[in-house]
Amino acid sequence: MTEYTKIMLDESDIPTQWYNIIPDLPSPPPPPLHPGTHEPIGPDDLAPLFPMDLIGQEVSQERYIDIPGEVLDVYRLWRPTPMFRARRLEKLLDTPAKIFYKYEGVSPAGSHKPNTSVPQAYYNAKQGVKKLTTETGAGQWGSALAFACAQFGLECEVWQVRASYDQKPDRKTMMEVWGATVHPSPSEVTEAGRQILALDPDSPGSLGIAISEAVMQAAPDPDTKYALGSVLNHVLMHQTVIGEEALKQMEKVGEMPDLLIGCTGGGSNFGGLSFPFLREKLAGKINPTIRCVEPASCPSLTKGEYRYDFGDTIGLTPLVKMHTLGHDFIPDPIHAGGLRYHGMAPLVSHIYELGMLEAEAIHQSECFDGAVKFARTEGILPAPEPTHAVAATIREAVRCRESGEEKTILMALCGHGHFDLRSYKAYLAGELSDYEYPTEKVAAAMERVPVISEA
Amino acid sequence: MTEYTKIMLDESDIPTQWYNIIPDLPSPPPPPLHPGTHEPIGPDDLAPLFPMDLIGQEVSQERYIDIPGEVLDVYRLWRPTPMFRARRLEKLLDTPAKIFYKYEGVSPAGSHKPNTSVPQAYYNAKQGVKKLTTETGAGQWGSALAFACAQFGLECEVWQVRASYDQKPDRKTMMEVWGATVHPSPSEVTEAGRQILALDPDSPGSLGIAISEAVMQAAPDPDTKYALGSVLNHVLMHQTVIGEEALKQMEKVGEMPDLLIGCTGGGSNFGGLSFPFLREKLAGKINPTIRCVEPASCPSLTKGEYRYDFGDTIGLTPLVKMHTLGHDFIPDPIHAGGLRYHGMAPLVSHIYELGMLEAEAIHQSECFDGAVKFARTEGILPAPEPTHAVAATIREAVRCRESGEEKTILMALCGHGHFDLRSYKAYLAGELSDYEYPTEKVAAAMERVPVISEA
């Protein structure tokens, strides 16, 4: 009989505030710039797309922001989420390391994404907005926003990348069950979509095109706004409920991590788990190493440059300072669709530059090899994105076996792979490609990044 | 701010004993009979298919049986499961009823099935068995057994009904991720399968054929045994962990149900939730109404006869006394594959005959209508099987709105529908058929039920 495997919290342990790391940092992140003037943007520049409460959170200097009761009432449907000690995986690996994981796959949409879709929908509804538009690649974010809109009586219109729309019909149906309208992107609905289709009627689409369609639909309509599922400061802040709960759970069993591991695509799952631990580290209370894991074929932190670039492929968004592989770089078709992003959250990028984070890149076949080991011992089938965290955790646990170190590892398991079994099938059939890092493609994309003269 | 929505328990609240309701009943259920002699069967008759520990549990007169530590160590991966107060659904329905639901979809396989697959795999491994065979229709049971076999180092061979094998490739991959071998049924692997294929190379298969294949593969091989996911006494007993936890959760918030509602196919989810509440009712401590819900097109309790019949279509199993529509009755292709069974657990049938249970039958379009309401308020997409419980709960909540009664309802939500979105798609597209009860087909099947002269 073991002492604990699953570490539960009570409903009263759900955090009642989000944590904003910015005031605790030794320097603030550089401001977003207007794409035309290259001057820092103001709230008015963002008002056509976001409600004022979220714009306020994006630039807030407050360390804590109260979570509205209406949002907590929805969080209660799946929060607090469980933390597990991966005893069966430890045994398989014969490691002296203690492996813990915080599991966000118990949310209705199956990932951490509802932690931010719910407050985003709430603040929009509060401001009288009637409809939200968004893009979705893997389908996780579109599902999360569809669910959240259903909770607050908002319409939801999603542009799903054509390739995903065709390959993942179940994600589309899930969004429709929650009441959303789903278009393949490129679509005939927007001017951007029509232009692309005129050039290539069979276009498989891209996240960049889908963002353009969702933004173009929202911007001119005062009753419609746009929602983004990662990258922005307020999104990462909403996700800190993960880390706040994880701190309580580690304390509950008298442990504290020596090492935190999370996958990074846009950075929201990683920031959500790690920022509360970083706060404690900055306060000198704990001293964990904090490690980002990214795909070897799309390694924005380990190979990208830290400079101003667009958040979308076409170049409609403000310029943000981040690690980037070039805004029009199209990553190879790895299965972790949520990590196929040319950039990294400006906040994660900034903290990485401050030397407070490590990063490593792993190929997808090693990730799925780890995921199958994980599924056979811990039961859960990870989504392709967190298989990167699983593989990095296994690497570390094996190092501990060799060194004899009794390291305590905390891993972010941000979602389940119930809608991603096609990728497991490809792995089991030996059909998974490890795309090498495309040096020349990235160099070419970086040529097209605008040159900003910084003050 | 609400008082509670999600009712959590600690790991220490996982039950350490299964509850066997048989000694608490005013009379025992009639014994299974040998199909040849019509005499009660003994342990030796079952030994080729099941390990002695499970045969002992099947006929046990002990009220409680200790759950082995090795089984508890696996239960901890998802137990205790959460209970919810469906506050958002109550609000939508404008009902004074309090609706609670116990959610088993957090298990690795996505349903209550691992509650019994894990002990079944454990006892087989303990006896030195190397491999388990089974059938699966919707895929839930096959997944649960594949997961359990991975935990105890057993091989697992699953015959998946051909129609399901073709329509649900993700369930097949899930079983393979956990290390199982999956055959479509009918298959070329067994004599039974080859015979069917010789007659009809395009046979879509049936649960009955798949059972025959799994049993035929296991019976002659001393290292291989067979596992069944419902119907038998020991299976229902393993599921009582659901009801034991639910009792604690209701007590934790100072509530107790006036009405329990669960869907019934083979009866294991229903028995698992209701038997511990029945124990308390028999002891005079509480007095809930307990209601089974079944598909209108396959209503074994409300329309079937209570008599001895075979458990499988072909007639290989012992004869058991149960509510049956005839062992070779093939139900219409409703989406709730787990409820497409001609009979009902002998134990549930017996207790129903004792007058301790109610039953009602509902068509699938009403079920999916309820499921979409549920998903839009509570977030979770129910599997097609528990949509029957959802619809019955909504019926009752609406009655309470009309009568003003503040009834407390506890519903069994036995699994999620992540692999069943095809059925939601059909519902949303208005393509769901409500099959009428096939009076003549059942009458014909009942003609073929053997006549047993009971002592």
Side-chain angles (χ1 to χ4, degrees):
Chain A
M1 282 281 262
T2 50
E3 209 183 323
Y4 54 76
T5 294
K6 193 177 176 188
I7 307 155
M8 311 289 280
L9 295 176
D10 261 322
E11 194 170 82
S12 59
D13 292 311
I14 298 174
T16 56
Q17 298 186 310
W18 293 301
Y19 168 55
N20 177 17
I21 198 172
I22 294 174
D24 282 343
L25 295 175
S27 67
L33 306 181
H34 191 283
T37 64
H38 294 187
E39 293 295 317
I41 57 167
D44 289 351
D45 294 308
L46 296 171
L49 292 183
F50 301 107
M52 288 315 293
D53 282 330
L54 291 177
I55 295 170
Q57 291 182 4
E58 186 64 18
V59 298
S60 174
Q61 293 299 316
E62 297 294 318
R63 293 182 76 217
Y64 293 98
I65 291 179
D66 287 343
I67 304 175
E70 293 87 343
V71 172
L72 285 171
D73 277 347
V74 184
Y75 276 178
R76 282 192 185 87
L77 294 176
W78 74 94
R79 305 212 71 85
T81 62
M83 176 182 284
F84 295 88
R85 168 94 183 261
R87 294 187 181 273
R88 304 179 86 80
L89 179 65
E90 290 171 17
K91 198 174 163 193
L92 177 79
L93 300 174
D94 189 24
T95 180
K98 296 179 185 174
I99 303 172
F100 291 85
Y101 58 98
K102 175 72 169 165
Y103 184 43
E104 291 293 306
V106 296
S107 82
S111 77
H112 63 295
K113 294 288 186 189
N115 295 331
T116 184
S117 69
V118 170
Q120 289 194 47
Y122 165 72
Y123 288 117
N124 274 286
K126 190 182 156 210
Q127 191 175 304
V129 172
K130 304 291 181 218
K131 186 200 282 192
L132 288 180
T133 68
T134 200
E135 72 291 335
T136 197
Q140 282 282 15
W141 170 243
S143 302
L145 193 67
F147 158 71
C149 286
Q151 302 311 308
F152 295 103
L154 291 172
E155 286 179 71
C156 182
E157 204 167 353
V158 182
W159 276 262
Q160 185 176 10
V161 173
R162 177 95 229 179
S164 162
Y165 183 93
D166 290 339
Q167 285 169 15
K168 294 191 172 185
D170 286 351
R171 274 285 175 197
K172 171 176 179 276
T173 303
M174 194 176 203
M175 292 184 253
E176 289 172 344
V177 168
W178 282 320
T181 303
V182 186
H183 309 286
S185 170
S187 74
E188 294 285 355
V189 179
T190 69
E191 181 54 32
R194 287 189 294 269
Q195 282 181 12
I196 303 278
L197 287 172
L199 293 170
D200 177 7
D202 298 322
S203 167
S206 75
L207 215 42
I209 297 166
I211 293 176
S212 301
E213 294 204 86
V215 166
M216 279 187 177
Q217 186 81 350
D221 181 351
D223 287 339
T224 300
K225 299 221 177 282
Y226 167 75
L228 189 63
S230 189
V231 176
L232 299 177
N233 296 346
H234 71 269
V235 175
L236 272 59
M237 186 186 73
H238 296 156
Q239 295 292 355
T240 59
V241 293
I242 304 171
E244 297 289 10
E245 286 180 7
L247 270 172
K248 283 190 201 178
Q249 283 162 311
M250 299 251 57
E251 280 165 9
K252 187 172 173 178
V253 295
E255 305 273 1
M256 205 43 70
D258 302 304
L259 174 62
L260 259 81
I261 294 177
C263 66
T264 42
S268 74
N269 150 65
F270 178 82
L273 179 69
S274 66
F275 287 178
F277 284 87
L278 261 175
R279 176 189 61 215
E280 302 302 302
K281 184 172 178 168
L282 286 164
K285 295 184 196 164
I286 57 175
N287 193 26
T289 299
I290 302 179
R291 187 173 297 156
C292 309
V293 195
E294 53 187 18
S297 64
C298 188
S300 54
L301 279 173
T302 53
K303 300 247 180 145
E305 282 183 53
Y306 183 55
R307 58 187 280 193
Y308 273 100
D309 197 2
F310 295 107
D312 71 318
T313 304
I314 295 171
L316 296 175
T317 69
L319 290 157
V320 291
K321 194 159 184 187
M322 62 178 176
H323 289 81
T324 180
L325 300 168
H327 60 275
D328 64 5
F329 166 66
I330 305 289
D332 286 311
I334 55 168
H335 285 279
L339 307 186
R340 292 181 66 238
Y341 184 63
H342 68 276
M344 177 53 58
L347 199 44
V348 172
S349 296
H350 176 63
I351 296 171
Y352 183 69
E353 285 298 311
L354 289 171
M356 296 158 68
L357 306 175
E358 292 182 358
E360 74 179 325
I362 305 187
H363 280 298
Q364 68 175 350
S365 58
E366 182 179 342
C367 294
F368 277 94
D369 181 74
V372 169
K373 286 191 176 74
F374 189 86
R376 288 187 185 173
T377 50
E378 298 296 312
I380 297 165
L381 280 75
E385 292 79 8
T387 65
H388 290 75
V390 171
T393 298
I394 291 176
R395 279 186 178 186
E396 190 68 32
V398 170
R399 276 192 286 266
C400 286
R401 178 176 70 208
E402 288 157 7
S403 69
E405 215 180 337
E406 292 181 18
K407 205 171 267 189
T408 298
I409 303 169
L410 173 57
M411 176 185 98
L413 186 60
C414 59
H416 64 64
H418 295 173
F419 299 97
D420 304 282
L421 280 154
R422 184 183 299 243
S423 57
Y424 280 92
K425 187 178 176 188
Y427 168 75
L428 293 174
E431 293 166 357
L432 218 55
S433 301
D434 279 343
Y435 302 95
E436 286 306 312
Y437 175 65
T439 310
E440 288 175 23
K441 228 168 90 181
V442 171
M446 290 305 296
E447 292 280 326
R448 294 183 289 271
V449 174
V451 178
I452 309 291
S453 55
E454 288 182 57
Chain B
M1 285 281 265
T2 52
E3 209 183 326
Y4 53 78
T5 295
K6 191 176 178 189
I7 307 155
M8 312 290 280
L9 295 175
D10 261 321
E11 194 170 84
S12 59
D13 292 312
I14 298 175
T16 56
Q17 298 186 310
W18 293 301
Y19 169 57
N20 178 17
I21 197 172
I22 293 174
D24 282 343
L25 294 175
S27 66
L33 305 180
H34 190 283
T37 65
H38 293 190
E39 294 296 318
I41 57 166
D44 290 349
D45 296 308
L46 297 171
L49 293 182
F50 301 106
M52 290 314 294
D53 281 331
L54 291 177
I55 295 170
Q57 290 181 5
E58 185 65 19
V59 298
S60 173
Q61 292 299 315
E62 297 294 319
R63 293 183 75 219
Y64 293 97
I65 291 180
D66 286 343
I67 304 176
E70 293 86 344
V71 171
L72 285 172
D73 277 345
V74 184
Y75 277 178
R76 281 191 186 88
L77 294 176
W78 74 95
R79 306 213 69 84
T81 63
M83 176 181 284
F84 296 87
R85 169 94 183 262
R87 292 188 183 272
R88 304 180 84 82
L89 179 65
E90 290 171 16
K91 198 174 164 194
L92 176 80
L93 300 173
D94 190 25
T95 179
K98 294 179 187 175
I99 303 172
F100 292 85
Y101 58 97
K102 175 73 169 164
Y103 182 45
E104 291 292 307
V106 295
S107 83
S111 78
H112 63 295
K113 295 287 185 188
N115 295 331
T116 185
S117 69
V118 170
Q120 289 194 48
Y122 166 73
Y123 288 117
N124 275 286
K126 189 180 156 210
Q127 192 174 303
V129 171
K130 304 291 180 218
K131 187 200 280 190
L132 289 180
T133 68
T134 200
E135 72 291 334
T136 197
Q140 282 282 15
W141 170 242
S143 302
L145 193 67
F147 157 72
C149 286
Q151 303 311 308
F152 296 103
L154 291 172
E155 287 179 68
C156 183
E157 204 167 353
V158 181
W159 277 262
Q160 185 175 9
V161 173
R162 176 95 229 177
S164 163
Y165 183 92
D166 291 338
Q167 285 168 17
K168 292 190 174 185
D170 286 351
R171 273 284 177 199
K172 171 175 178 279
T173 302
M174 194 177 203
M175 292 184 254
E176 290 172 344
V177 168
W178 282 320
T181 303
V182 186
H183 308 288
S185 172
S187 75
E188 294 285 355
V189 179
T190 69
E191 181 54 32
R194 288 190 293 271
Q195 282 181 13
I196 303 277
L197 287 172
L199 293 169
D200 178 7
D202 299 322
S203 166
S206 74
L207 215 42
I209 296 166
I211 293 176
S212 301
E213 293 204 86
V215 166
M216 280 187 177
Q217 186 80 351
D221 180 351
D223 287 337
T224 300
K225 299 223 177 281
Y226 167 74
L228 189 63
S230 190
V231 177
L232 300 177
N233 296 346
H234 70 270
V235 176
L236 273 59
M237 187 186 72
H238 295 158
Q239 294 292 355
T240 58
V241 291
I242 305 172
E244 298 289 11
E245 286 180 7
L247 270 171
K248 283 190 202 177
Q249 284 162 311
M250 300 251 57
E251 280 164 10
K252 187 172 174 180
V253 296
E255 304 273 0
M256 205 41 75
D258 302 304
L259 173 62
L260 259 80
I261 294 177
C263 66
T264 43
S268 74
N269 150 65
F270 178 82
L273 179 69
S274 66
F275 287 178
F277 284 87
L278 260 174
R279 174 189 64 214
E280 302 302 301
K281 183 172 178 169
L282 286 162
K285 294 183 197 166
I286 57 175
N287 194 27
T289 298
I290 302 179
R291 187 172 297 156
C292 309
V293 195
E294 53 187 18
S297 63
C298 188
S300 54
L301 279 172
T302 52
K303 300 250 178 139
E305 281 183 52
Y306 182 57
R307 57 187 281 195
Y308 274 100
D309 197 1
F310 295 107
D312 70 317
T313 305
I314 295 171
L316 296 175
T317 70
L319 290 156
V320 290
K321 194 160 184 186
M322 61 178 178
H323 289 82
T324 180
L325 301 167
H327 60 275
D328 64 6
F329 165 66
I330 305 289
D332 286 311
I334 55 168
H335 286 279
L339 308 185
R340 292 183 63 238
Y341 185 64
H342 67 276
M344 177 53 57
L347 200 44
V348 172
S349 295
H350 176 62
I351 296 171
Y352 183 69
E353 284 298 309
L354 290 171
M356 295 158 69
L357 305 175
E358 293 182 356
E360 74 180 323
I362 305 188
H363 281 297
Q364 67 176 351
S365 59
E366 182 179 341
C367 294
F368 277 94
D369 181 74
V372 169
K373 286 190 174 76
F374 188 85
R376 289 188 184 173
T377 50
E378 298 295 315
I380 298 165
L381 280 76
E385 293 79 9
T387 64
H388 291 75
V390 171
T393 298
I394 291 176
R395 279 187 179 184
E396 190 69 32
V398 169
R399 276 193 285 266
C400 286
R401 179 177 68 209
E402 287 156 7
S403 70
E405 215 180 337
E406 292 180 19
K407 203 172 269 190
T408 298
I409 304 169
L410 173 57
M411 176 183 98
L413 186 59
C414 58
H416 64 64
H418 295 174
F419 298 97
D420 304 281
L421 280 153
R422 188 183 297 245
S423 58
Y424 280 91
K425 187 179 175 186
Y427 167 75
L428 293 174
E431 292 166 359
L432 218 57
S433 300
D434 278 344
Y435 303 94
E436 285 307 311
Y437 175 66
T439 309
E440 289 175 22
K441 228 169 88 179
V442 171
M446 290 305 297
E447 292 280 326
R448 295 183 289 269
V449 174
V451 178
I452 310 292
S453 56
E454 288 180 60

